Amino acid sequence: MSKAFVRESESDVPPDISVPASLLPDGAKNYLTAAGAARLQEELARLVDVERPALAAAGDDSVAREKLQAVDQRIRSLRHSLSTAEIVPPPADDRSIVRFGATVAVEDEEGEVATYRLVGVDETDPAEGAVSWTSPIARALMNARVGEHVTFRTPVGGRELEVLHVEY
């Protein structure tokens, strides 16, 4: 039978499970906060010690095999990230300057206040306010001080933010 009439799930070609391309710009270091590295290590341990063995025990179940491949992909990704990570401690000196790992409260032109945490690309979680240090907003905030105004470009134009508070 021609492969054209075989459903993908019946294909004997395994999916691509290589390590995904890095989200880091060429030549950039893989910075992580200590808390972010700990979360990634906890996730890796859970996947290796709990989830993977449970899925491997499922045997020939096709759904379990697909989930197992996804877990294996995530394990490889986490191992790669942790092996290339450079853990950045909070600054020992002036903590009023925005640096990697800072949590920054800002106010925009309309008076809306938002909080961002500048983290590594593997720690990014926009729903939690954790933005990659490579993002436009993080690059604009980097090295700013409380009371300073910073401008950054968005798809709809420039925005100005005032730095209200910095903490580590």
Side-chain angles (χ1 to χ4, degrees), residues 46-58 68-69 71-72 75 79:
R46 179 181 47 77
L47 291 173
V48 169
D49 298 338
V50 179
E51 290 189 31
R52 190 181 193 295
L55 290 168
L68 180 60
Q69 289 174 340
V71 165
D72 284 344
I75 288 170
R79 284 181 174 156

Side-chain angles (χ1 to χ4, degrees), residues 52-69:
R52 190 181 193 295
L55 290 168
D60 286 339
D61 178 14
S62 64
V63 173
R65 270 197 321 266
E66 286 180 23
K67 287 181 180 178
L68 180 60
Q69 289 174 340

Side-chain angles (χ1 to χ4, degrees), residues 104-108 112-116 137 141 150 161-165:
V104 186
V106 296
E107 183 176 6
D108 67 13
E112 290 190 39
V113 175
T115 302
Y116 300 99
I137 193 163
L141 289 169
V150 299
L161 304 173
E162 178 183 358
V163 177
L164 301 176
H165 181 75

Side-chain angles (χ1 to χ4, degrees), residues 25-163:
D26 288 340
K29 294 188 179 186
N30 184 20
Y31 296 122
L32 287 176
T33 63
R39 280 191 300 277
L40 294 179
Q41 288 169 338
E42 288 170 9
E43 179 184 359
L44 177 61
R46 179 181 47 77
L47 291 173
V48 169
D49 298 338
V50 179
E51 290 189 31
R52 190 181 193 295
L55 290 168
D60 286 339
D61 178 14
S62 64
V63 173
R65 270 197 321 266
E66 286 180 23
K67 287 181 180 178
L68 180 60
Q69 289 174 340
V71 165
D72 284 344
Q73 171 67 36
R74 182 64 179 153
I75 288 170
R76 278 190 296 281
S77 178
L78 287 168
R79 284 181 174 156
H80 176 51
S81 178
L82 289 167
S83 72
T84 61
E86 185 171 318
I87 310 301
V88 179
D93 56 347
D94 190 351
R95 290 177 166 239
S96 67
I97 299 174
V98 178
R99 306 243 194 244
F100 181 85
T103 300
V104 186
V106 296
E107 183 176 6
D108 67 13
E109 300 101 336
E110 288 83 39
E112 290 190 39
V113 175
T115 302
Y116 300 99
R117 198 166 30 101
L118 283 54
V119 297
V121 295
D122 296 324
E123 302 174 78
T124 303
D125 185 354
E128 296 294 320
V131 297
S132 167
W133 66 274
T134 63
S135 69
I137 193 163
R139 288 192 322 253
L141 289 169
M142 202 67 75
N143 296 314
R145 295 176 179 271
V146 173
E148 280 188 33
H149 291 260
V150 299
T151 303
F152 75 101
R153 302 213 54 81
T154 70
V156 295
R159 285 186 60 198
E160 186 173 300
L161 304 173
E162 178 183 358
V163 177

